[in-house]
Amino acid sequence: MTWIKSFASAVLLASFELFTVVSVTHAQSPIPLNVMPLPAKVQRAEGALKIDASFTIAFAGYREPRLDRAGQRFLRELHRQTGIVFFSPAKSTGPATLTIAADHQSKPVQELGEDESYTLDISPAGARLHATNTLGILHGLQTFLQLVAIASEGFAVPAVHIEDQPRFPWRGLMIDVGRHFEPVEAIKRNLDGMEAVKMNVFHWHLTENQGFRVESRKFPKLQEFGSDGLYYTQDEIRDVIDYARDRGIRVVPEFDMPGHTTAWLVSHPEIASGSGPYAIERKWGVFDPAMDPTSEKTYKFLDDFIAEMAKLFPDQFFHIGGDEVNGKEWDANPKIQAFKRSHKIKTNAELQAYFSGRVQDLVTKHKKTPIGWDEILVPGVPKTIVIQSWRGLDSLTAAARMGYRGILSSGYYLDLGWSAARHYAVDPLGGPAASLSPGEQQLILGGESCMWSEYVSAENIDSRIWPRNAAIAERLWSPADATDLASMYDRLNAESERLEWLGLTHRSFQRLMLQRIAGSGASLEELSALTDLARALEHQKDYTREESAASEPTSFTPLNRLVDAVYPESEVSRQFSVAADQYAASSCRDSALAAQIRAQLIEWTGLDARLQSLAQRSQLMKEASPASAALSQAAKIALEALDEAVKGAPLSPEQRKSQSDALNALEKQAHGSQLTLPMLPALQKLLDTASAVGACTR
Ligand code: ACM
């Protein structure tokens, strides 16, 4: 789809104003508006602003060191995107190509609901970015960078007037560093990505059964015995918080309790409900260890711990977890049972509510606002708490009806491996929330994508988050009627490229991992075939990967296999599926599409043979062979059916059924490598097309 079509359809769907749809420099070289998230209001004008070595920026209005750093970072990013060397550093005042004007400072500690709006005016003569405070400037600079494109006369940004502000004030990304530790560099890369797409909350899931990842100076044994040495020092935490603040991002720490706490209990069994001894958990799942909600020792410990962490993390919000307590240690402990009886507590849910209430009091005592997973929503909890809904939109809606603020994460779990389109369709005010009153809807603050890290290492984490996270960022920032999928994918692909200029590794990691799988003796031809295979496949979805694992995965299982190297969403397969749909819609008459589909099927049909010798030499390739064979065989089935149909011999209903069954069996075969054939529905569709009598004959 051309930029004109995709932009025009976005305009129709999102009712943006479009004054002139014109090419910017030449009719042959229109500059696309690759902005993601889509701004609230865009008006295009004629012409473009050239970006060359004479480009300068200057500040008019409010100044602060954070703005100066943002200006320097902007020029660095512009240099990376264009390769142009900008000789002049940020000028303070006076005429410049881009004038940046903030009215005043933002809050010293970034707050929920601060004004993040900005206005960006670009004409062939120059550009002006205005915002009431620094936050809007940070967002507007990213929009400007997204607009930079190569045109027939060099780099340029299209003339445009943008008025922009977010739909939701809470637009977060959660990263679980408990199950797999993520070094500071990986966190910073992802903060850069968040800034690029205007996300403003980094939710740092710091403690888990598998690791306690933050330095406590009051209780140093927590990290000493609970982290294998993989934790953030307090200096590192402060450095990350500063880095995030520079990018308009709040940092909300999570200390998950009373469950998900094995790593705490290794060194502090005195606050546990069981008798221990405890060891760092190495497997994945829900486990029995839980804090003792009936012991005053627990609350004394948490009072001191929360006091320390409340000082370390300046954000107003403090996440106390609260998810997935199985209650087994509580049931097995006679003292806890006696406490329940004497306090007339009937169920473990009520016992957890008692614990949550006590912890919420401590958080409030230390001047923070508690936030927790939706399990903490029980009758009587104070109205100040914020509910993070992970079990469905229903809990978010119910919370809002009861007067609680909430954020949505159900539908935004990146580890499930869903497509960007599927995440994009999830709206915090959609489904049951649509029936809320305007006042209740105000209580829904936004959402957070979640990167749970069972299968995530520092090497591949960027690829598990990006670019799909940009689609979620758009859902949380842009007007609700921005729903055109073709436009979304065009802009997602453009942003994905730009993210690598910023230093993210969500694409580049793959070349290194495939090189490792192939070994240093692999030929270019083998690497090329392996790349084609990796780009066609996806890892198994939802939590089905465990089901086909040869042995139970643990935190020591190497993440070095093809399943770890494929992208969660195959762009090759997505485009193939779009082509297959269009081909079916044309009743096989579109010969250009036919050629494109055939070429792809022929390539896939031949892949397995091209990888045979590699599979002899590399155990990691051999392990992927069931998937490689399945792909080649599945492509062959579709290709033969199409060829026969074009020759006037469509599949009979019996043949159609048996070939369809064969495709489904091949999908199961791919699971042997924990991989999936994402083009399978498109192949089934091609079989449908090939079995419609007369559909493919002229
Ligand atoms: C969760 O996924 N247990 C919050």
Side-chain angles (χ1 to χ4, degrees):
M1 182 176 272
T2 65
W3 71 272
I4 292 183
K5 271 200 266 164
S6 65
F7 185 68
S9 53
V11 167
L12 285 176
L13 280 159
S15 8
F16 296 147
E17 289 173 58
L18 185 72
F19 284 176
T20 39
V21 178
V22 288
S23 61
V24 172
T25 49
H26 274 282
Q28 295 79 13
S29 60
I31 299 182
L33 279 180
N34 278 324
V35 186
M36 187 161 212
L38 272 176
K41 185 175 169 192
V42 179
Q43 297 167 355
R44 277 196 90 146
E46 193 126 11
L49 173 64
K50 222 170 148 48
I51 307 281
D52 59 21
S54 69
F55 183 90
T56 52
I57 62 175
F59 292 93
Y62 172 71
R63 293 293 295 273
E64 62 163 311
R66 183 161 64 138
L67 273 176
D68 292 343
R69 288 195 294 275
Q72 293 299 330
R73 205 164 63 245
F74 170 83
L75 286 177
R76 228 172 23 244
E77 288 171 10
L78 192 59
H79 164 68
R80 283 199 212 150
Q81 281 179 229
T82 61
I84 297 170
V85 180
F86 299 102
F87 287 109
S88 58
K91 278 202 286 175
S92 46
T93 51
T97 325
L98 170 62
T99 303
I100 300 167
D103 294 342
H104 54 74
Q105 63 179 351
S106 62
K107 296 277 166 51
V109 173
Q110 193 173 321
E111 290 179 11
L112 171 69
E114 276 192 75
D115 188 343
E116 297 180 86
S117 67
Y118 69 92
T119 305
L120 178 62
D121 273 299
I122 301 175
S123 77
R128 182 179 167 84
L129 171 60
H130 171 255
T132 53
N133 69 54
T134 306
L135 296 176
I137 297 295
L138 295 173
H139 295 319
L141 288 173
Q142 292 301 315
T143 301
F144 189 100
L145 288 168
Q146 291 179 340
L147 288 168
V148 175
I150 184 83
S152 55
E153 290 169 356
F155 286 97
V157 281
V160 74
H161 171 77
I162 291 176
E163 288 171 34
D164 202 7
Q165 77 277 325
R167 181 171 167 225
F168 292 107
W170 190 304
R171 306 176 306 281
L173 165 66
M174 186 218 75
I175 298 181
D176 162 19
V177 296
R179 292 177 173 87
H180 277 104
F181 180 70
E182 295 299 334
V184 167
E185 311 85 76
I187 299 296
K188 287 186 172 176
R189 286 199 307 268
N190 283 285
L191 289 168
D192 288 340
M194 291 175 68
E195 180 190 30
V197 296
K198 305 180 173 63
M199 276 189 155
N200 66 356
V201 182
F202 170 45
H203 168 172
W204 211 347
H205 183 85
L206 283 161
T207 61
E208 257 305 333
N209 295 309
Q210 294 82 359
F212 187 96
R213 305 297 186 193
V214 56
E215 177 193 15
S216 168
R217 294 189 179 159
K218 274 192 194 142
F219 302 105
K221 289 197 167 97
L222 282 170
Q223 70 270 9
E224 198 177 318
F225 291 93
S227 76
D228 302 309
L230 297 172
Y231 66 90
Y232 307 101
T233 65
Q234 295 201 355
D235 285 345
E236 286 172 328
I237 298 267
R238 278 187 282 270
D239 177 42
V240 167
I241 291 168
D242 288 348
Y243 192 91
R245 175 171 166 76
D246 259 10
R247 287 153 181 76
I249 299 166
R250 299 166 36 219
V251 178
V252 175
E254 179 185 351
F255 305 95
D256 200 352
M257 54 184 129
H260 289 272
T261 45
T262 312
W264 311 52
L265 306 179
V266 180
S267 58
H268 289 276
E270 72 277 11
I271 61 167
S273 303
S275 48
Y278 294 92
I280 295 175
E281 184 56 61
R282 306 298 178 185
K283 296 180 178 175
W284 314 136
V286 175
F287 298 95
D288 301 346
M291 290 177 180
D292 183 350
T294 68
S295 164
E296 287 309 309
K297 270 195 219 144
T298 304
Y299 300 111
K300 174 73 185 80
F301 175 93
L302 288 176
D303 190 6
D304 290 345
F305 178 77
I306 292 169
E308 181 183 18
M309 292 301 135
K311 282 210 186 71
L312 180 59
F313 291 92
D315 198 77
Q316 181 56 42
F317 291 84
F318 196 94
H319 204 301
I320 55 172
D323 57 322
E324 296 183 314
V325 183
N326 72 13
K328 287 190 186 164
E329 278 200 348
W330 293 349
D331 292 339
N333 182 328
K335 194 187 87 157
I336 292 176
Q337 293 305 309
F339 180 94
K340 277 170 75 175
R341 279 192 298 278
S342 65
H343 287 73
K344 303 205 168 12
I345 293 174
K346 288 192 202 61
T347 64
N348 284 339
E350 282 174 42
L351 185 59
Q352 189 179 339
Y354 168 79
F355 173 84
S356 294
R358 295 283 306 263
V359 175
Q360 284 157 23
D361 288 347
L362 293 175
V363 170
T364 308
K365 172 180 158 188
H366 296 294
K367 305 204 166 25
K368 300 286 182 180
T369 304
I371 166 166
W373 299 106
D374 52 34
E375 284 95 332
I376 72 163
L377 179 62
V378 289
V381 280
K383 285 279 150 60
T384 47
I385 67 163
V386 175
I387 303 298
Q388 180 161 16
S389 182
W390 72 282
R391 293 182 299 178
L393 255 167
D394 285 344
S395 62
L396 186 70
T397 310
R401 284 228 162 84
M402 291 156 71
Y404 293 95
R405 293 179 295 174
I407 60 174
L408 182 67
S409 282
S410 168
Y412 300 141
Y413 269 31
L414 294 163
D415 58 319
L416 295 176
W418 293 3
S419 68
R422 189 165 171 195
H423 289 306
Y424 194 58
V426 177
D427 191 310
L429 294 179
S435 63
L436 292 171
S437 71
E440 289 164 343
Q441 290 195 347
Q442 287 284 317
L443 295 171
I444 294 182
L445 303 174
E448 275 186 6
S449 52
C450 291
M451 182 73 264
W452 299 105
S453 66
E454 281 89 342
Y455 299 108
V456 169
S457 64
E459 192 176 17
N460 73 354
I461 185 170
D462 295 13
S463 74
R464 273 53 194 145
I465 297 176
W466 308 98
R468 295 173 303 144
N469 193 45
I472 299 172
E474 173 152 302
R475 177 56 52 236
L476 298 174
W477 175 283
S478 303
D481 52 5
T483 52
D484 178 358
L485 283 185
S487 160
M488 185 276 280
Y489 273 110
D490 283 349
R491 291 176 296 105
L492 188 75
N493 288 333
E495 185 58 11
S496 181
E497 284 164 28
R498 200 179 77 85
L499 288 170
E500 289 231 324
W501 294 118
L502 299 183
L504 279 102
T505 59
H506 59 291
R507 291 288 179 252
S508 59
F509 90 105
Q510 192 181 64
R511 189 185 65 74
L512 295 169
M513 283 190 73
L514 296 183
Q515 183 74 63
R516 178 197 286 141
I517 289 169
S520 54
S523 67
L524 283 179
E525 151 58 19
E526 285 170 329
L527 271 174
S528 152
L530 182 55
T531 304
D532 288 345
L533 178 68
R535 299 257 162 109
L537 302 177
E538 294 175 4
H539 62 73
Q540 277 189 264
K541 306 289 136 177
D542 301 323
Y543 297 124
T544 59
R545 178 170 167 172
E546 272 89 352
E547 289 164 15
S548 35
S551 56
E552 187 173 2
T554 72
S555 43
F556 296 120
T557 304
L559 300 177
N560 62 357
R561 303 154 61 214
L562 190 60
V563 61
D564 304 304
V566 298
Y567 304 146
E569 181 170 20
S570 160
E571 179 61 12
V572 172
S573 288
R574 189 188 72 79
Q575 290 192 8
F576 179 81
S577 303
V578 170
D581 278 348
Q582 290 171 353
Y583 184 60
S586 82
S587 302
C588 311
R589 280 182 179 74
D590 189 324
S591 54
L593 277 175
Q596 185 188 331
I597 288 168
R598 277 184 56 84
Q600 183 64 80
L601 290 172
I602 289 167
E603 183 203 295
W604 284 339
T605 302
L607 264 187
D608 191 46
R610 292 165 64 200
L611 289 163
Q612 286 303 315
S613 61
L614 201 53
Q616 305 287 319
R617 305 199 307 275
S618 159
Q619 179 266 333
L620 290 171
M621 180 61 230
K622 188 159 100 203
E623 194 210 59
S625 288
S628 148
L631 172 63
S632 287
Q633 186 56 30
K636 186 159 175 268
I637 287 173
L639 187 62
E640 285 175 358
L642 277 184
D643 283 350
E644 288 302 307
V646 169
K647 277 194 245 153
L651 293 180
S652 68
E654 297 72 29
Q655 287 169 320
R656 165 79 185 83
K657 163 100 179 53
S658 91
Q659 298 298 54
S660 169
D661 290 348
L663 287 184
N664 291 336
L666 290 166
E667 166 68 8
K668 288 222 175 61
Q669 179 179 321
H671 293 180
S673 315
Q674 299 188 340
L675 290 158
T676 181
L677 306 176
M679 74 300 288
L680 204 77
L683 298 180
Q684 293 280 12
K685 184 147 207 173
L686 289 176
L687 287 189
D688 286 338
T689 309
S691 56
V693 177
C696 289
T697 48
R698 303 287 177 273

